Protein backbone atom coordinates (compact mmCIF):
# COMPACT_ATOMS: atom_id res chain seq x y z
CA UNK A 1 0.00 0.00 0.00
CA UNK A 2 2.84 2.39 0.86
CA UNK A 3 4.55 1.62 -2.46
CA UNK A 4 1.29 2.29 -4.34
CA UNK A 5 0.92 5.62 -2.54
CA UNK A 6 4.47 6.62 -3.46
CA UNK A 7 3.92 5.74 -7.12
CA UNK A 8 0.65 7.68 -7.19
CA UNK A 9 2.40 10.67 -5.60
CA UNK A 10 5.11 10.44 -8.23
CA UNK A 11 2.55 10.42 -11.01
CA UNK A 12 0.73 13.39 -9.53
CA UNK A 13 3.95 15.32 -8.98
CA UNK A 14 5.19 14.64 -12.51
CA UNK A 15 1.91 15.35 -14.25
CA UNK A 16 1.65 18.85 -12.75
CA UNK A 17 4.31 21.44 -13.32
CA UNK A 18 5.24 23.99 -10.71
CA UNK A 19 2.51 26.59 -10.34
CA UNK A 20 -0.30 24.14 -11.17
CA UNK A 21 0.00 24.18 -14.97
CA UNK A 22 -0.19 20.85 -16.84
CA UNK A 23 3.22 19.36 -17.39
CA UNK A 24 4.43 18.99 -20.95
CA UNK A 25 4.77 15.55 -22.45
CA UNK A 26 7.10 14.30 -25.19
CA UNK A 27 4.40 15.13 -27.75
CA UNK A 28 3.92 18.70 -26.54
CA UNK A 29 5.33 21.65 -28.50
CA UNK A 30 7.82 22.29 -25.69
CA UNK A 31 10.00 19.19 -25.52
CA UNK A 32 12.58 18.14 -22.99
CA UNK A 33 15.28 18.75 -25.58
CA UNK A 34 14.75 22.44 -24.99
CA UNK A 35 15.71 21.92 -21.37
CA UNK A 36 18.69 19.75 -22.17
CA UNK A 37 17.32 17.00 -19.94
CA UNK A 38 16.30 14.50 -22.56
CA UNK A 39 18.07 11.44 -23.84
CA UNK A 40 20.31 13.25 -26.29
CA UNK A 41 24.09 13.50 -26.00
CA UNK A 42 24.28 15.11 -22.56
CA UNK A 43 22.69 18.15 -20.98
CA UNK A 44 23.96 21.56 -22.10
CA UNK A 45 25.53 23.90 -19.58
CA UNK A 46 22.53 26.24 -19.81
CA UNK A 47 20.17 23.51 -18.56
CA UNK A 48 22.47 22.66 -15.66
CA UNK A 49 22.83 26.31 -14.66
CA UNK A 50 19.05 26.75 -14.92
CA UNK A 51 18.56 23.79 -12.59
CA UNK A 52 20.85 25.25 -9.94
CA UNK A 53 19.27 28.71 -10.29
CA UNK A 54 15.95 27.11 -9.39
CA UNK A 55 17.39 26.29 -5.97
CA UNK A 56 16.08 29.68 -4.85
CA UNK A 57 12.52 29.28 -6.21
CA UNK A 58 11.01 27.67 -3.11
CA UNK A 59 7.40 28.32 -4.11
CA UNK A 60 7.81 26.03 -7.13
CA UNK A 61 9.14 23.00 -5.22
CA UNK A 62 7.22 19.90 -4.21
CA UNK A 63 8.52 19.34 -0.67
CA UNK A 64 5.90 16.75 0.29
CA UNK A 65 6.89 14.42 -2.54
CA UNK A 66 10.57 14.97 -1.71
CA UNK A 67 9.99 13.90 1.90
CA UNK A 68 8.32 10.70 0.66
CA UNK A 69 11.42 9.98 -1.44
CA UNK A 70 13.67 10.46 1.58
CA UNK A 71 11.49 8.14 3.66
CA UNK A 72 11.87 5.45 0.98
CA UNK A 73 15.67 5.78 1.17
CA UNK A 74 15.62 5.57 4.98
CA UNK A 75 13.39 2.47 4.82
CA UNK A 76 16.07 0.75 2.70
CA UNK A 77 13.63 0.72 -0.22
CA UNK A 78 15.41 2.77 -2.90
CA UNK A 79 13.83 0.58 -5.58
CA UNK A 80 10.54 2.43 -5.00
CA UNK A 81 12.30 5.70 -5.72
CA UNK A 82 13.69 4.48 -9.02
CA UNK A 83 10.31 3.14 -10.12
CA UNK A 84 9.15 6.75 -9.86
CA UNK A 85 12.15 7.63 -12.06
CA UNK A 86 10.84 5.26 -14.74
CA UNK A 87 7.44 6.95 -14.52
CA UNK A 88 9.10 10.34 -14.99
CA UNK A 89 10.82 9.04 -18.10
CA UNK A 90 7.52 7.94 -19.62
CA UNK A 91 5.71 11.18 -18.79
CA UNK A 92 8.38 13.84 -19.35
CA UNK A 93 10.88 11.97 -21.53
CA UNK A 94 13.69 12.66 -19.05
CA UNK A 95 15.40 10.69 -16.32
CA UNK A 96 16.54 13.56 -14.11
CA UNK A 97 14.46 15.49 -11.62
CA UNK A 98 13.67 19.03 -12.66
CA UNK A 99 12.61 19.89 -9.10
CA UNK A 100 15.64 20.76 -6.92
CA UNK A 101 13.68 20.37 -3.66
CA UNK A 102 15.69 17.26 -2.73
CA UNK A 103 18.94 19.23 -2.98
CA UNK A 104 17.56 22.19 -1.03
CA UNK A 105 16.28 20.05 1.85
CA UNK A 106 19.48 18.02 2.04
CA UNK A 107 21.63 21.15 2.04
CA UNK A 108 19.58 22.53 4.93
CA UNK A 109 19.91 19.29 6.89
CA UNK A 110 23.67 19.19 6.35
CA UNK A 111 24.05 22.81 7.49
CA UNK A 112 21.99 22.24 10.64
CA UNK A 113 23.81 19.01 11.51
CA UNK A 114 27.22 20.61 10.96
CA UNK A 115 26.23 23.53 13.18
CA UNK A 116 25.13 21.08 15.89
CA UNK A 117 28.55 19.41 15.77
CA UNK A 118 30.28 22.78 16.05
CA UNK A 119 28.24 23.81 19.07
CA UNK A 120 28.57 20.44 20.82
CA UNK A 121 32.33 20.19 20.34
CA UNK A 122 32.94 23.85 21.16
CA UNK A 123 34.32 25.11 17.86
CA UNK A 124 35.86 28.52 18.50
CA UNK A 125 35.79 31.36 16.03
CA UNK A 126 33.20 32.33 13.46
CA UNK A 127 35.57 31.55 10.59
CA UNK A 128 36.16 28.00 11.81
CA UNK A 129 32.42 27.52 12.24
CA UNK A 130 31.69 28.83 8.75
CA UNK A 131 34.46 26.67 7.31
CA UNK A 132 32.84 23.56 8.77
CA UNK A 133 29.24 24.41 7.84
CA UNK A 134 29.87 25.89 4.41
CA UNK A 135 32.52 23.31 3.60
CA UNK A 136 30.16 20.46 4.47
CA UNK A 137 27.52 21.82 2.10
CA UNK A 138 29.60 23.17 -0.79
CA UNK A 139 32.52 20.73 -0.77
CA UNK A 140 31.37 17.47 0.86
CA UNK A 141 27.94 17.45 -0.78
CA UNK A 142 27.82 19.68 -3.86
CA UNK A 143 31.49 19.52 -4.82
CA UNK A 144 31.71 15.77 -4.38
CA UNK A 145 28.39 15.43 -6.16
CA UNK A 146 29.57 17.33 -9.22
CA UNK A 147 32.75 15.26 -9.33
CA UNK A 148 30.90 11.96 -8.93
CA UNK A 149 28.24 12.90 -11.49
CA UNK A 150 30.92 13.85 -14.01
CA UNK A 151 32.98 10.70 -13.40
CA UNK A 152 30.14 8.17 -13.32
CA UNK A 153 28.29 9.63 -16.32
CA UNK A 154 31.56 9.60 -18.28
CA UNK A 155 32.22 5.95 -17.39
CA UNK A 156 28.64 4.97 -18.20
CA UNK A 157 28.58 6.77 -21.56
CA UNK A 158 32.06 5.67 -22.57
CA UNK A 159 32.17 2.05 -21.43
CA UNK A 160 28.71 0.78 -20.44
CA UNK A 161 26.42 1.91 -23.25
CA UNK A 162 24.83 -0.76 -25.42
CA UNK A 163 25.29 0.02 -29.09
CA UNK A 164 22.14 -0.80 -31.03
CA UNK A 165 21.46 -0.41 -34.72
CA UNK A 166 18.45 1.58 -35.92
CA UNK A 167 17.69 3.11 -32.51
CA UNK A 168 17.93 6.63 -31.12
CA UNK A 169 21.26 7.25 -29.44
CA UNK A 170 20.88 7.73 -25.70
CA UNK A 171 23.37 8.95 -23.14
CA UNK A 172 23.35 9.35 -19.38
CA UNK A 173 22.24 12.85 -18.44
CA UNK A 174 24.64 14.68 -16.14
CA UNK A 175 21.71 15.86 -14.04
CA UNK A 176 20.50 12.29 -13.63
CA UNK A 177 23.98 11.25 -12.48
CA UNK A 178 23.79 14.10 -9.96
CA UNK A 179 20.36 12.82 -8.87
CA UNK A 180 21.90 9.42 -8.18
CA UNK A 181 24.56 11.07 -6.03
CA UNK A 182 21.90 12.92 -4.04
CA UNK A 183 19.93 9.71 -3.52
CA UNK A 184 23.03 7.92 -2.28
CA UNK A 185 24.24 10.82 -0.16
CA UNK A 186 21.06 11.09 1.90
CA UNK A 187 21.37 7.75 3.77
CA UNK A 188 25.11 8.41 4.04
CA UNK A 189 24.22 11.75 5.67
CA UNK A 190 21.79 10.04 8.07
CA UNK A 191 24.45 7.57 9.22
CA UNK A 192 27.43 9.91 9.42
CA UNK A 193 25.73 13.03 10.76
CA UNK A 194 22.76 12.43 13.14
CA UNK A 195 23.41 8.74 13.92
CA UNK A 196 27.12 9.31 14.54
CA UNK A 197 26.28 12.45 16.53
CA UNK A 198 24.17 10.54 19.06
CA UNK A 199 26.63 7.63 19.17
CA UNK A 200 29.66 9.88 19.67
CA UNK A 201 30.01 9.16 23.44
CA UNK A 202 30.39 5.48 22.54
CA UNK A 203 32.37 5.81 19.31
CA UNK A 204 35.08 8.02 20.85
CA UNK A 205 35.90 5.61 23.66
CA UNK A 206 39.53 4.38 23.71
CA UNK A 207 38.49 0.79 23.18
CA UNK A 208 38.80 -1.60 20.27
CA UNK A 209 35.03 -2.17 20.28
CA UNK A 210 34.51 1.55 19.68
CA UNK A 211 36.88 1.38 16.72
CA UNK A 212 34.96 -1.52 15.19
CA UNK A 213 31.61 0.25 15.64
CA UNK A 214 32.89 3.52 14.18
CA UNK A 215 34.54 1.87 11.18
CA UNK A 216 31.48 -0.31 10.57
CA UNK A 217 29.30 2.81 10.52
CA UNK A 218 31.50 4.46 7.87
CA UNK A 219 31.86 1.29 5.80
CA UNK A 220 28.09 0.73 5.79
CA UNK A 221 27.42 4.34 4.80
CA UNK A 222 29.76 4.32 1.81
CA UNK A 223 28.80 0.79 0.74
CA UNK A 224 25.12 1.78 0.72
CA UNK A 225 25.99 4.87 -1.31
CA UNK A 226 27.46 2.67 -4.03
CA UNK A 227 24.53 0.25 -3.82
CA UNK A 228 22.11 3.09 -4.57
CA UNK A 229 24.41 4.18 -7.40
CA UNK A 230 24.13 0.73 -8.96
CA UNK A 231 20.33 0.81 -8.65
CA UNK A 232 20.20 4.25 -10.25
CA UNK A 233 22.12 3.18 -13.33
CA UNK A 234 20.35 -0.20 -13.50
CA UNK A 235 17.05 1.44 -14.53
CA UNK A 236 18.67 2.80 -17.70
CA UNK A 237 17.88 0.26 -20.43
CA UNK A 238 20.68 1.41 -22.74
CA UNK A 239 23.44 0.46 -20.26
CA UNK A 240 25.00 -2.88 -19.40
CA UNK A 241 27.23 -4.19 -16.58
CA UNK A 242 26.00 -1.52 -14.16
CA UNK A 243 27.23 -3.69 -11.28
CA UNK A 244 30.71 -2.35 -12.00
CA UNK A 245 29.75 0.72 -9.98
CA UNK A 246 29.72 -1.60 -6.97
CA UNK A 247 33.41 -2.48 -7.38
CA UNK A 248 34.62 0.29 -5.00
CA UNK A 249 32.92 -1.59 -2.17
CA UNK A 250 35.75 -4.12 -2.39
CA UNK A 251 38.23 -1.34 -1.64
CA UNK A 252 36.01 -0.13 1.20
CA UNK A 253 36.09 -3.60 2.78
CA UNK A 254 39.88 -3.80 2.47
CA UNK A 255 40.28 -0.38 4.11
CA UNK A 256 37.79 -1.38 6.80
CA UNK A 257 39.79 -4.52 7.60
CA UNK A 258 43.13 -2.72 7.88
CA UNK A 259 41.64 0.19 9.84
CA UNK A 260 40.25 -2.22 12.42
CA UNK A 261 43.49 -4.21 12.46
CA UNK A 262 45.47 -1.04 13.19
CA UNK A 263 42.87 0.23 15.68
CA UNK A 264 42.31 3.30 13.47
CA UNK A 265 39.03 4.93 14.53
CA UNK A 266 37.36 6.74 11.61
CA UNK A 267 35.05 8.76 13.84
CA UNK A 268 37.97 10.14 15.83
CA UNK A 269 39.89 10.95 12.66
CA UNK A 270 37.03 12.70 10.87
CA UNK A 271 35.83 14.67 13.88
CA UNK A 272 39.36 15.82 14.67
CA UNK A 273 39.91 16.76 11.00
CA UNK A 274 36.79 18.93 10.91
CA UNK A 275 36.45 20.18 14.46
CA UNK A 276 39.92 19.90 15.99
Amino acid sequence: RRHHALVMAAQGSLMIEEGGAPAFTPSSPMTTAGLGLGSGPGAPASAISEYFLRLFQFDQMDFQYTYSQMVSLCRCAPGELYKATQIRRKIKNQWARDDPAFVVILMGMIAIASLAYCITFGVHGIFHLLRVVVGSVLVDFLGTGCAMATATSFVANRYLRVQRVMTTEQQVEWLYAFDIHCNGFFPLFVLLYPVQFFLTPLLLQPHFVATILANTLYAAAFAYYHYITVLGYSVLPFLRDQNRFFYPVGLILVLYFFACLLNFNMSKFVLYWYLG
Side-chain angles (χ1 to χ4, degrees), residues 7 20 45 74 79 83 102 118 131 137 193 221 231 257 276:
V7 172
C74 289
K83 287 182 180 179
F102 197 103
C118 291
R131 181 178 67 83
V137 174
Y193 282 76
L231 290 183
F257 173 78

Side-chain angles (χ1 to χ4, degrees), residues 9-134:
Q11 291 175 326
S13 176
L14 295 171
M15 287 298 293
I16 302 297
E17 267 191 338
E18 296 79 355
F24 60 85
T25 62
S27 59
S28 302
M30 179 183 291
T31 64
T32 53
L35 292 177
L37 299 174
S39 58
S46 58
I48 297 175
S49 60
E50 178 184 352
Y51 174 85
F52 284 105
L53 287 175
R54 293 181 61 191
L55 292 173
F56 305 98
Q57 300 175 2
F58 303 110
D59 58 328
Q60 298 185 11
M61 299 179 187
D62 190 346
F63 291 106
Q64 182 176 0
Y65 176 56
T66 300
Y67 288 131
S68 68
Q69 292 178 314
M70 291 181 168
V71 169
S72 295
L73 292 170
C74 289
R75 290 175 54 245
C76 297
E80 297 180 1
L81 180 63
Y82 287 119
K83 287 182 180 179
T85 299
Q86 293 174 318
I87 295 173
R88 181 189 305 115
R89 169 64 178 177
K90 294 178 181 179
I91 295 176
K92 288 192 172 184
N93 194 32
Q94 68 186 58
W95 297 101
R97 300 184 187 103
D98 52 8
D99 182 359
F102 197 103
V103 177
V104 171
I105 294 175
L106 188 49
M107 288 172 59
M109 289 180 175
I110 294 172
I112 293 172
S114 300
L115 183 61
Y117 272 98
C118 291
I119 295 174
T120 302
F121 286 89
V123 171
H124 300 289
I126 186 66
F127 292 106
H128 190 182
L129 187 146
L130 289 176
R131 181 178 67 83
V132 173
V133 175
V134 176

Side-chain angles (χ1 to χ4, degrees), residues 8 28 38 50 52 58 91 112-113 115 121 126 138 141 170 180 185 188 191 193 226 233 244 247 275:
M8 292 300 294
S28 302
E50 178 184 352
F52 284 105
F58 303 110
I91 295 176
I112 293 172
L115 183 61
F121 286 89
I126 186 66
L138 297 184
F141 173 51
Q170 298 188 81
I180 294 176
F185 196 92
L188 183 146
L191 290 175
Y193 282 76
H226 288 284
Y233 283 101
R244 293 183 181 182
Y247 287 174
L275 307 174

Side-chain angles (χ1 to χ4, degrees), residues 92-209:
K92 288 192 172 184
N93 194 32
Q94 68 186 58
W95 297 101
R97 300 184 187 103
D98 52 8
D99 182 359
F102 197 103
V103 177
V104 171
I105 294 175
L106 188 49
M107 288 172 59
M109 289 180 175
I110 294 172
I112 293 172
S114 300
L115 183 61
Y117 272 98
C118 291
I119 295 174
T120 302
F121 286 89
V123 171
H124 300 289
I126 186 66
F127 292 106
H128 190 182
L129 187 146
L130 289 176
R131 181 178 67 83
V132 173
V133 175
V134 176
S136 297
V137 174
L138 297 184
V139 178
D140 296 349
F141 173 51
L142 289 179
T144 302
C146 291
M148 287 297 296
T150 302
T152 55
S153 61
F154 172 80
V155 170
N157 289 327
R158 184 70 177 270
Y159 301 106
L160 305 183
R161 275 198 306 156
V162 177
Q163 302 294 336
R164 293 190 176 97
V165 182
M166 303 297 293
T167 58
T168 303
E169 181 184 8
Q170 298 188 81
Q171 291 192 3
V172 177
E173 310 157 5
W174 187 92
L175 285 176
Y176 180 67
F178 184 76
D179 269 357
I180 294 176
H181 163 75
C182 294
N183 295 338
F185 196 92
F186 179 69
L188 183 146
F189 158 79
V190 172
L191 290 175
L192 300 187
Y193 282 76
V195 172
Q196 180 180 237
F197 180 83
F198 290 109
L199 293 180
T200 295
L202 176 61
L203 299 177
L204 299 185
Q205 292 294 320
H207 305 301
F208 184 66
V209 174

